[in-house]
Amino acid sequence: MGKLAINGGVPALSRAEWPVWPRVTAAEELAVLTALRQGDFTGLQRNGSVQQLEERWAAEVGAGHCIAVANGTAAITLALAASGVQPGDDVLVPALTFIAPALAVAHLGARPIFVDVDPVSFNICAADLRRKVTPRSTAVVVVHLHGLAADMDEIAAVAAEFRLAVVEDAAQAQGAVYRGRKIGSLSPVTTFSLSISKNLPTCGEGGLITTNDAGLAASITRLRQFGEDLIPGMARSYEHHDIGWNNKMNGVQSAFTLSLLGRFGADNAIRQRQVGRFLQRLSGLPGLICPSHPADRTHVWHILRFRFAHGFAAAHGVSAASLRKAMQRVLQAEGCPVREYQTMPLSAQPVFRSAAAGTWAARFYDGRPLRFDRQAVAHSCDIVGDSFVLQKFHLVPGADAVLEKCADAFEKAYAQLDFVIELARAQPYAPPWPQETDEESGKAA
Ligand SMILES: *Cc1c(COP(=O)(O)O)cnc(C)c1O
């Protein structure tokens, strides 16, 4: 194979070839234009786009109710509030995920307790969940990370034992199936994001909440509308019964998502095939651990996370994290946009570990930041160091040719592994979280 692009060779693919996500076709343009022309702007519109989207998504996942909201973070906040989380509660959250679920917990005045994840599925570990439950714990947010359902039966058993409310965050797992059941109808309440990066996006911000519980649906509907009950066709009462938010979704964005929903199933099927082929090609590369899924559930491949095996790296005299960092630089130069997704576990984020004076966060928790304990989230720390991800790129139906070039880039890098190892040695990975010695001695090492 040719000279590596990082050394002045020709890149395996160019930026101009990158597929664009979300893909906007004439169907979405027409859907949005129609909503604009019909003044289809709010959820109050009888049989407007918001109501239609709610009905279609409830049917899609097999839930009794769906409530459209402003975004995925608001969806988690409302779901937790309606599930009974109170200020002063502890809420269990996976340590490896996007920060939204932990922020949602903090917005309610509750304290996030971080649970380590499984090193293969990257999802919250049921055994660690059991270990981390505190006397004040009232709920757990289960994130189906990267498009793979978490171990819901095992988690539900722990939740039942400790009487924890379960909120599923399926922002990354739209359409995923767990033991024959669609995500969105398993637990009392499930949240989704329609952010532009997700498998089912909108043209901006949006979120969906599904539940089979009519009482929860009514609470959430009230909480998204200033704590007010709106009755379609009736004048507003301006009576407020709860500390609600203004967290509604709008008609134009609902119309966009409704249009995409028309080809959601077909796009998923195409994606299964093209990602399958891509992973098949990479599966032969030594020391590279490709994403996978157990036989009893699907993976909707929202994000593809690749780890580097510790034994393989050690045999070459470097750490897996340093090898990952070097390989990432080489692949990026080749035009393959692999990158980190989360650079630290949530418990190491400044907002939770050492909120700066003057921030709102500094006034939380009696001014005592939560303690960062590497051992408590050891798998999450390892994964953050030794893995990179591919995002959005592979979601676009018809991205096969580009994914082939991406696989070429991997093979090109592996053909010159000695150079990559040298790079790893010269610029080793340094984790961004505080080292144990600093924490123990209270001074810099
Ligand atoms: C994207 C995402 C969210 C937040 O959704 P927004 O719509 O951006 O607020 C929440 N949780 C996870 C796991 C996500 O990936």
mmCIF file of all heavy atoms in Angstrom, residues 33-80:
data_model
loop_
_atom_site.group_PDB
_atom_site.id
_atom_site.type_symbol
_atom_site.label_atom_id
_atom_site.label_comp_id
_atom_site.label_asym_id
_atom_site.label_seq_id
_atom_site.Cartn_x
_atom_site.Cartn_y
_atom_site.Cartn_z
ATOM 1 N N LEU A 33 -42.344 22.649 4.151
ATOM 2 C CA LEU A 33 -43.052 23.730 3.451
ATOM 3 C C LEU A 33 -44.556 23.645 3.705
ATOM 4 O O LEU A 33 -45.228 24.655 3.958
ATOM 5 C CB LEU A 33 -42.753 23.623 1.952
ATOM 6 C CG LEU A 33 -43.122 24.841 1.109
ATOM 7 C CD1 LEU A 33 -42.377 26.080 1.603
ATOM 8 C CD2 LEU A 33 -42.768 24.574 -0.356
ATOM 9 N N THR A 34 -45.084 22.418 3.694
ATOM 10 C CA THR A 34 -46.515 22.222 3.941
ATOM 11 C C THR A 34 -46.878 22.662 5.355
ATOM 12 O O THR A 34 -47.893 23.336 5.568
ATOM 13 C CB THR A 34 -46.893 20.738 3.710
ATOM 14 O OG1 THR A 34 -46.480 20.369 2.398
ATOM 15 C CG2 THR A 34 -48.379 20.510 3.855
ATOM 16 N N ALA A 35 -46.024 22.311 6.315
ATOM 17 C CA ALA A 35 -46.286 22.723 7.700
ATOM 18 C C ALA A 35 -46.303 24.253 7.786
ATOM 19 O O ALA A 35 -47.179 24.841 8.433
ATOM 20 C CB ALA A 35 -45.228 22.142 8.628
ATOM 21 N N LEU A 36 -45.348 24.899 7.114
ATOM 22 C CA LEU A 36 -45.290 26.365 7.137
ATOM 23 C C LEU A 36 -46.551 26.959 6.519
ATOM 24 O O LEU A 36 -47.160 27.878 7.068
ATOM 25 C CB LEU A 36 -44.060 26.859 6.361
ATOM 26 C CG LEU A 36 -42.696 26.635 7.009
ATOM 27 C CD1 LEU A 36 -41.578 27.078 6.062
ATOM 28 C CD2 LEU A 36 -42.591 27.400 8.322
ATOM 29 N N ARG A 37 -46.962 26.403 5.369
ATOM 30 C CA ARG A 37 -48.113 26.965 4.652
ATOM 31 C C ARG A 37 -49.411 26.767 5.420
ATOM 32 O O ARG A 37 -50.328 27.570 5.332
ATOM 33 C CB ARG A 37 -48.232 26.326 3.266
ATOM 34 C CG ARG A 37 -47.164 26.855 2.334
ATOM 35 C CD ARG A 37 -47.349 26.323 0.932
ATOM 36 N NE ARG A 37 -46.382 26.942 0.038
ATOM 37 C CZ ARG A 37 -45.854 26.349 -1.028
ATOM 38 N NH1 ARG A 37 -46.215 25.118 -1.332
ATOM 39 N NH2 ARG A 37 -44.987 26.984 -1.779
ATOM 40 N N GLN A 38 -49.463 25.667 6.205
ATOM 41 C CA GLN A 38 -50.696 25.378 6.939
ATOM 42 C C GLN A 38 -50.690 25.978 8.341
ATOM 43 O O GLN A 38 -51.631 25.785 9.097
ATOM 44 C CB GLN A 38 -50.906 23.863 7.018
ATOM 45 C CG GLN A 38 -51.151 23.249 5.642
ATOM 46 C CD GLN A 38 -51.355 21.749 5.696
ATOM 47 O OE1 GLN A 38 -51.076 21.106 6.713
ATOM 48 N NE2 GLN A 38 -51.836 21.185 4.601
ATOM 49 N N GLY A 39 -49.623 26.698 8.694
ATOM 50 C CA GLY A 39 -49.538 27.260 10.046
ATOM 51 C C GLY A 39 -49.528 26.167 11.097
ATOM 52 O O GLY A 39 -50.050 26.322 12.199
ATOM 53 N N ASP A 40 -48.901 25.050 10.743
ATOM 54 C CA ASP A 40 -48.865 23.864 11.622
ATOM 55 C C ASP A 40 -47.679 24.022 12.582
ATOM 56 O O ASP A 40 -46.639 23.409 12.402
ATOM 57 C CB ASP A 40 -48.711 22.635 10.707
ATOM 58 C CG ASP A 40 -48.621 21.328 11.469
ATOM 59 O OD1 ASP A 40 -48.853 21.319 12.687
ATOM 60 O OD2 ASP A 40 -48.299 20.305 10.826
ATOM 61 N N PHE A 41 -47.828 24.888 13.588
ATOM 62 C CA PHE A 41 -46.676 25.285 14.393
ATOM 63 C C PHE A 41 -46.628 24.669 15.793
ATOM 64 O O PHE A 41 -45.562 24.555 16.375
ATOM 65 C CB PHE A 41 -46.642 26.813 14.561
ATOM 66 C CG PHE A 41 -46.475 27.545 13.254
ATOM 67 C CD1 PHE A 41 -47.134 28.746 13.040
ATOM 68 C CD2 PHE A 41 -45.652 27.052 12.266
ATOM 69 C CE1 PHE A 41 -46.973 29.429 11.834
ATOM 70 C CE2 PHE A 41 -45.491 27.722 11.062
ATOM 71 C CZ PHE A 41 -46.155 28.914 10.848
ATOM 72 N N THR A 42 -47.768 24.337 16.370
ATOM 73 C CA THR A 42 -47.757 23.886 17.768
ATOM 74 C C THR A 42 -48.479 22.555 17.937
ATOM 75 O O THR A 42 -49.228 22.124 17.061
ATOM 76 C CB THR A 42 -48.475 24.904 18.697
ATOM 77 O OG1 THR A 42 -49.888 24.797 18.452
ATOM 78 C CG2 THR A 42 -48.010 26.316 18.447
ATOM 79 N N GLY A 43 -48.274 21.955 19.092
ATOM 80 C CA GLY A 43 -48.924 20.690 19.412
ATOM 81 C C GLY A 43 -50.409 20.849 19.659
ATOM 82 O O GLY A 43 -51.132 19.865 19.787
ATOM 83 N N LEU A 44 -50.873 22.097 19.736
ATOM 84 C CA LEU A 44 -52.304 22.325 19.978
ATOM 85 C C LEU A 44 -53.143 22.106 18.725
ATOM 86 O O LEU A 44 -54.344 21.921 18.793
ATOM 87 C CB LEU A 44 -52.524 23.757 20.476
ATOM 88 C CG LEU A 44 -52.425 23.930 21.978
ATOM 89 C CD1 LEU A 44 -52.800 25.336 22.372
ATOM 90 C CD2 LEU A 44 -53.313 22.931 22.704
ATOM 91 N N GLN A 45 -52.470 22.160 17.588
ATOM 92 C CA GLN A 45 -53.141 21.934 16.305
ATOM 93 C C GLN A 45 -53.776 20.551 16.325
ATOM 94 O O GLN A 45 -53.068 19.560 16.484
ATOM 95 C CB GLN A 45 -52.065 21.954 15.206
ATOM 96 C CG GLN A 45 -52.501 22.572 13.937
ATOM 97 C CD GLN A 45 -52.201 24.055 13.957
ATOM 98 O OE1 GLN A 45 -51.377 24.511 14.740
ATOM 99 N NE2 GLN A 45 -52.886 24.806 13.128
ATOM 100 N N ARG A 46 -55.058 20.457 16.181
ATOM 101 C CA ARG A 46 -55.699 19.143 16.186
ATOM 102 C C ARG A 46 -55.232 18.362 14.952
ATOM 103 O O ARG A 46 -55.316 18.870 13.842
ATOM 104 C CB ARG A 46 -57.213 19.300 16.184
ATOM 105 C CG ARG A 46 -57.915 18.207 16.965
ATOM 106 C CD ARG A 46 -59.401 18.250 16.730
ATOM 107 N NE ARG A 46 -60.078 19.263 17.560
ATOM 108 C CZ ARG A 46 -60.514 19.027 18.802
ATOM 109 N NH1 ARG A 46 -60.334 17.861 19.358
ATOM 110 N NH2 ARG A 46 -61.134 19.961 19.480
ATOM 111 N N ASN A 47 -54.726 17.160 15.204
ATOM 112 C CA ASN A 47 -54.163 16.321 14.142
ATOM 113 C C ASN A 47 -53.058 17.006 13.344
ATOM 114 O O ASN A 47 -52.830 16.712 12.173
ATOM 115 C CB ASN A 47 -55.263 15.800 13.203
ATOM 116 C CG ASN A 47 -54.838 14.496 12.545
ATOM 117 O OD1 ASN A 47 -54.094 13.720 13.149
ATOM 118 N ND2 ASN A 47 -55.263 14.271 11.322
ATOM 119 N N GLY A 48 -52.350 17.938 13.980
ATOM 120 C CA GLY A 48 -51.192 18.574 13.352
ATOM 121 C C GLY A 48 -49.997 17.634 13.400
ATOM 122 O O GLY A 48 -50.093 16.496 13.872
ATOM 123 N N SER A 49 -48.845 18.123 12.932
ATOM 124 C CA SER A 49 -47.659 17.271 12.824
ATOM 125 C C SER A 49 -47.179 16.753 14.179
ATOM 126 O O SER A 49 -46.691 15.626 14.270
ATOM 127 C CB SER A 49 -46.525 18.047 12.160
ATOM 128 O OG SER A 49 -46.874 18.319 10.838
ATOM 129 N N VAL A 50 -47.302 17.565 15.237
ATOM 130 C CA VAL A 50 -46.829 17.109 16.544
ATOM 131 C C VAL A 50 -47.649 15.904 17.002
ATOM 132 O O VAL A 50 -47.086 14.864 17.377
ATOM 133 C CB VAL A 50 -46.895 18.248 17.598
ATOM 134 C CG1 VAL A 50 -46.439 17.732 18.961
ATOM 135 C CG2 VAL A 50 -46.046 19.442 17.155
ATOM 136 N N GLN A 51 -48.972 16.037 16.916
ATOM 137 C CA GLN A 51 -49.844 14.913 17.317
ATOM 138 C C GLN A 51 -49.615 13.685 16.447
ATOM 139 O O GLN A 51 -49.579 12.554 16.938
ATOM 140 C CB GLN A 51 -51.312 15.326 17.205
ATOM 141 C CG GLN A 51 -51.838 15.938 18.470
ATOM 142 C CD GLN A 51 -53.364 16.090 18.419
ATOM 143 O OE1 GLN A 51 -54.057 15.357 17.705
ATOM 144 N NE2 GLN A 51 -53.863 17.051 19.161
ATOM 145 N N GLN A 52 -49.448 13.923 15.153
ATOM 146 C CA GLN A 52 -49.224 12.780 14.253
ATOM 147 C C GLN A 52 -47.918 12.065 14.592
ATOM 148 O O GLN A 52 -47.858 10.838 14.602
ATOM 149 C CB GLN A 52 -49.171 13.251 12.805
ATOM 150 C CG GLN A 52 -50.524 13.558 12.222
ATOM 151 C CD GLN A 52 -50.382 13.905 10.745
ATOM 152 O OE1 GLN A 52 -49.728 13.201 9.990
ATOM 153 N NE2 GLN A 52 -50.974 15.017 10.354
ATOM 154 N N LEU A 53 -46.883 12.860 14.864
ATOM 155 C CA LEU A 53 -45.593 12.256 15.206
ATOM 156 C C LEU A 53 -45.724 11.435 16.491
ATOM 157 O O LEU A 53 -45.214 10.315 16.590
ATOM 158 C CB LEU A 53 -44.510 13.341 15.367
ATOM 159 C CG LEU A 53 -43.128 12.845 15.802
ATOM 160 C CD1 LEU A 53 -42.537 11.875 14.780
ATOM 161 C CD2 LEU A 53 -42.169 14.022 16.026
ATOM 162 N N GLU A 54 -46.422 11.991 17.475
ATOM 163 C CA GLU A 54 -46.615 11.271 18.738
ATOM 164 C C GLU A 54 -47.323 9.943 18.501
ATOM 165 O O GLU A 54 -46.926 8.900 19.032
ATOM 166 C CB GLU A 54 -47.412 12.147 19.724
ATOM 167 C CG GLU A 54 -46.604 13.342 20.221
ATOM 168 C CD GLU A 54 -47.399 14.303 21.097
ATOM 169 O OE1 GLU A 54 -48.640 14.363 20.971
ATOM 170 O OE2 GLU A 54 -46.782 15.024 21.886
ATOM 171 N N GLU A 55 -48.381 9.989 17.678
ATOM 172 C CA GLU A 55 -49.138 8.759 17.427
ATOM 173 C C GLU A 55 -48.303 7.733 16.659
ATOM 174 O O GLU A 55 -48.297 6.548 16.985
ATOM 175 C CB GLU A 55 -50.436 9.080 16.665
ATOM 176 C CG GLU A 55 -51.503 9.644 17.597
ATOM 177 C CD GLU A 55 -52.622 10.373 16.858
ATOM 178 O OE1 GLU A 55 -52.836 10.087 15.658
ATOM 179 O OE2 GLU A 55 -53.271 11.238 17.498
ATOM 180 N N ARG A 56 -47.578 8.229 15.652
ATOM 181 C CA ARG A 56 -46.773 7.318 14.828
ATOM 182 C C ARG A 56 -45.653 6.673 15.646
ATOM 183 O O ARG A 56 -45.355 5.490 15.485
ATOM 184 C CB ARG A 56 -46.178 8.066 13.626
ATOM 185 C CG ARG A 56 -47.192 8.411 12.548
ATOM 186 C CD ARG A 56 -47.432 7.240 11.586
ATOM 187 N NE ARG A 56 -46.213 6.813 10.923
ATOM 188 C CZ ARG A 56 -45.661 7.410 9.880
ATOM 189 N NH1 ARG A 56 -46.234 8.464 9.353
ATOM 190 N NH2 ARG A 56 -44.545 6.942 9.340
ATOM 191 N N TRP A 57 -44.999 7.460 16.532
ATOM 192 C CA TRP A 57 -43.871 6.898 17.286
ATOM 193 C C TRP A 57 -44.354 5.910 18.349
ATOM 194 O O TRP A 57 -43.740 4.869 18.585
ATOM 195 C CB TRP A 57 -43.012 8.009 17.901
ATOM 196 C CG TRP A 57 -41.736 7.447 18.457
ATOM 197 C CD1 TRP A 57 -41.379 7.356 19.769
ATOM 198 C CD2 TRP A 57 -40.652 6.857 17.710
ATOM 199 N NE1 TRP A 57 -40.152 6.745 19.889
ATOM 200 C CE2 TRP A 57 -39.686 6.431 18.640
ATOM 201 C CE3 TRP A 57 -40.410 6.641 16.355
ATOM 202 C CZ2 TRP A 57 -38.495 5.799 18.253
ATOM 203 C CZ3 TRP A 57 -39.228 6.017 15.973
ATOM 204 C CH2 TRP A 57 -38.282 5.613 16.919
ATOM 205 N N ALA A 58 -45.506 6.248 18.977
ATOM 206 C CA ALA A 58 -46.092 5.316 19.959
ATOM 207 C C ALA A 58 -46.369 3.977 19.273
ATOM 208 O O ALA A 58 -46.047 2.915 19.807
ATOM 209 C CB ALA A 58 -47.366 5.903 20.549
ATOM 210 N N ALA A 59 -46.925 4.031 18.066
ATOM 211 C CA ALA A 59 -47.230 2.799 17.328
ATOM 212 C C ALA A 59 -45.939 2.083 16.937
ATOM 213 O O ALA A 59 -45.850 0.854 17.033
ATOM 214 C CB ALA A 59 -48.063 3.131 16.086
ATOM 215 N N GLU A 60 -44.941 2.849 16.516
ATOM 216 C CA GLU A 60 -43.662 2.281 16.070
ATOM 217 C C GLU A 60 -43.015 1.439 17.177
ATOM 218 O O GLU A 60 -42.488 0.359 16.919
ATOM 219 C CB GLU A 60 -42.730 3.426 15.636
ATOM 220 C CG GLU A 60 -41.305 3.036 15.276
ATOM 221 C CD GLU A 60 -41.187 2.362 13.909
ATOM 222 O OE1 GLU A 60 -42.037 2.629 13.037
ATOM 223 O OE2 GLU A 60 -40.247 1.561 13.733
ATOM 224 N N VAL A 61 -43.027 1.949 18.412
ATOM 225 C CA VAL A 61 -42.347 1.221 19.495
ATOM 226 C C VAL A 61 -43.323 0.377 20.321
ATOM 227 O O VAL A 61 -42.907 -0.327 21.234
ATOM 228 C CB VAL A 61 -41.543 2.172 20.430
ATOM 229 C CG1 VAL A 61 -40.521 2.954 19.641
ATOM 230 C CG2 VAL A 61 -42.467 3.099 21.213
ATOM 231 N N GLY A 62 -44.610 0.469 20.033
ATOM 232 C CA GLY A 62 -45.588 -0.334 20.763
ATOM 233 C C GLY A 62 -45.894 0.184 22.160
ATOM 234 O O GLY A 62 -46.130 -0.592 23.078
ATOM 235 N N ALA A 63 -45.892 1.525 22.300
ATOM 236 C CA ALA A 63 -46.213 2.130 23.597
ATOM 237 C C ALA A 63 -47.606 2.753 23.546
ATOM 238 O O ALA A 63 -48.095 3.118 22.471
ATOM 239 C CB ALA A 63 -45.183 3.203 23.947
ATOM 240 N N GLY A 64 -48.225 2.887 24.696
ATOM 241 C CA GLY A 64 -49.569 3.453 24.759
ATOM 242 C C GLY A 64 -49.604 4.949 24.504
ATOM 243 O O GLY A 64 -50.576 5.484 23.978
ATOM 244 N N HIS A 65 -48.530 5.645 24.913
ATOM 245 C CA HIS A 65 -48.518 7.107 24.807
ATOM 246 C C HIS A 65 -47.147 7.595 24.349
ATOM 247 O O HIS A 65 -46.127 7.000 24.701
ATOM 248 C CB HIS A 65 -48.802 7.763 26.168
ATOM 249 C CG HIS A 65 -50.019 7.208 26.840
ATOM 250 N ND1 HIS A 65 -51.264 7.763 26.690
ATOM 251 C CD2 HIS A 65 -50.169 6.129 27.656
ATOM 252 C CE1 HIS A 65 -52.146 7.054 27.372
ATOM 253 N NE2 HIS A 65 -51.502 6.050 27.976
ATOM 254 N N CYS A 66 -47.147 8.702 23.609
ATOM 255 C CA CYS A 66 -45.899 9.372 23.257
ATOM 256 C C CYS A 66 -46.110 10.871 23.421
ATOM 257 O O CYS A 66 -47.144 11.403 23.005
ATOM 258 C CB CYS A 66 -45.499 9.036 21.822
ATOM 259 S SG CYS A 66 -44.042 9.943 21.258
ATOM 260 N N ILE A 67 -45.149 11.531 24.063
ATOM 261 C CA ILE A 67 -45.220 12.979 24.273
ATOM 262 C C ILE A 67 -43.988 13.599 23.618
ATOM 263 O O ILE A 67 -42.859 13.251 23.968
ATOM 264 C CB ILE A 67 -45.253 13.333 25.788
ATOM 265 C CG1 ILE A 67 -46.374 12.565 26.494
ATOM 266 C CG2 ILE A 67 -45.420 14.838 25.993
ATOM 267 C CD1 ILE A 67 -45.935 11.379 27.292
ATOM 268 N N ALA A 68 -44.212 14.517 22.675
ATOM 269 C CA ALA A 68 -43.090 15.183 21.997
ATOM 270 C C ALA A 68 -42.632 16.365 22.835
ATOM 271 O O ALA A 68 -43.452 17.124 23.357
ATOM 272 C CB ALA A 68 -43.522 15.648 20.612
ATOM 273 N N VAL A 69 -41.315 16.516 22.976
ATOM 274 C CA VAL A 69 -40.754 17.600 23.787
ATOM 275 C C VAL A 69 -39.609 18.297 23.049
ATOM 276 O O VAL A 69 -39.274 17.939 21.921
ATOM 277 C CB VAL A 69 -40.274 17.093 25.171
ATOM 278 C CG1 VAL A 69 -41.447 16.613 26.008
ATOM 279 C CG2 VAL A 69 -39.243 15.990 25.021
ATOM 280 N N ALA A 70 -39.032 19.303 23.719
ATOM 281 C CA ALA A 70 -38.089 20.205 23.052
ATOM 282 C C ALA A 70 -36.776 19.544 22.638
ATOM 283 O O ALA A 70 -36.175 19.915 21.634
ATOM 284 C CB ALA A 70 -37.798 21.400 23.968
ATOM 285 N N ASN A 71 -36.296 18.586 23.406
ATOM 286 C CA ASN A 71 -35.028 17.899 23.097
ATOM 287 C C ASN A 71 -34.887 16.679 24.001
ATOM 288 O O ASN A 71 -35.711 16.459 24.896
ATOM 289 C CB ASN A 71 -33.824 18.855 23.262
ATOM 290 C CG ASN A 71 -33.781 19.485 24.641
ATOM 291 O OD1 ASN A 71 -33.592 18.803 25.636
ATOM 292 N ND2 ASN A 71 -33.986 20.800 24.707
ATOM 293 N N GLY A 72 -33.830 15.919 23.794
ATOM 294 C CA GLY A 72 -33.644 14.680 24.542
ATOM 295 C C GLY A 72 -33.303 14.906 26.007
ATOM 296 O O GLY A 72 -33.672 14.102 26.868
ATOM 297 N N THR A 73 -32.602 15.992 26.289
ATOM 298 C CA THR A 73 -32.243 16.297 27.681
ATOM 299 C C THR A 73 -33.498 16.668 28.469
ATOM 300 O O THR A 73 -33.704 16.195 29.600
ATOM 301 C CB THR A 73 -31.221 17.455 27.724
ATOM 302 O OG1 THR A 73 -30.161 17.160 26.813
ATOM 303 C CG2 THR A 73 -30.647 17.639 29.114
ATOM 304 N N ALA A 74 -34.358 17.493 27.868
ATOM 305 C CA ALA A 74 -35.632 17.850 28.497
ATOM 306 C C ALA A 74 -36.471 16.592 28.708
ATOM 307 O O ALA A 74 -37.147 16.453 29.735
ATOM 308 C CB ALA A 74 -36.385 18.850 27.620
ATOM 309 N N ALA A 75 -36.409 15.675 27.758
ATOM 310 C CA ALA A 75 -37.184 14.434 27.866
ATOM 311 C C ALA A 75 -36.781 13.665 29.128
ATOM 312 O O ALA A 75 -37.633 13.181 29.877
ATOM 313 C CB ALA A 75 -36.977 13.568 26.620
ATOM 314 N N ILE A 76 -35.467 13.581 29.390
ATOM 315 C CA ILE A 76 -35.001 12.847 30.572
ATOM 316 C C ILE A 76 -35.424 13.584 31.845
ATOM 317 O O ILE A 76 -35.885 12.972 32.813
ATOM 318 C CB ILE A 76 -33.467 12.667 30.553
ATOM 319 C CG1 ILE A 76 -33.018 11.996 29.252
ATOM 320 C CG2 ILE A 76 -32.998 11.835 31.755
ATOM 321 C CD1 ILE A 76 -31.506 12.067 29.017
ATOM 322 N N THR A 77 -35.269 14.904 31.846
ATOM 323 C CA THR A 77 -35.643 15.707 33.022
ATOM 324 C C THR A 77 -37.123 15.502 33.358
ATOM 325 O O THR A 77 -37.484 15.245 34.515
ATOM 326 C CB THR A 77 -35.378 17.204 32.752
ATOM 327 O OG1 THR A 77 -34.053 17.362 32.249
ATOM 328 C CG2 THR A 77 -35.533 18.026 34.019
ATOM 329 N N LEU A 78 -37.980 15.612 32.353
ATOM 330 C CA LEU A 78 -39.422 15.463 32.578
ATOM 331 C C LEU A 78 -39.771 14.040 33.027
ATOM 332 O O LEU A 78 -40.600 13.845 33.907
ATOM 333 C CB LEU A 78 -40.193 15.811 31.293
ATOM 334 C CG LEU A 78 -40.696 17.253 31.190
ATOM 335 C CD1 LEU A 78 -39.585 18.253 31.381
ATOM 336 C CD2 LEU A 78 -41.398 17.497 29.862
ATOM 337 N N ALA A 79 -39.115 13.054 32.410
ATOM 338 C CA ALA A 79 -39.398 11.658 32.767
ATOM 339 C C ALA A 79 -39.005 11.392 34.224
ATOM 340 O O ALA A 79 -39.739 10.726 34.962
ATOM 341 C CB ALA A 79 -38.648 10.718 31.831
ATOM 342 N N LEU A 80 -37.858 11.938 34.642
ATOM 343 C CA LEU A 80 -37.417 11.744 36.031
ATOM 344 C C LEU A 80 -38.357 12.466 36.994
ATOM 345 O O LEU A 80 -38.738 11.917 38.041
ATOM 346 C CB LEU A 80 -35.981 12.258 36.217
ATOM 347 C CG LEU A 80 -34.865 11.389 35.633
ATOM 348 C CD1 LEU A 80 -33.538 12.142 35.641
ATOM 349 C CD2 LEU A 80 -34.727 10.083 36.422
#
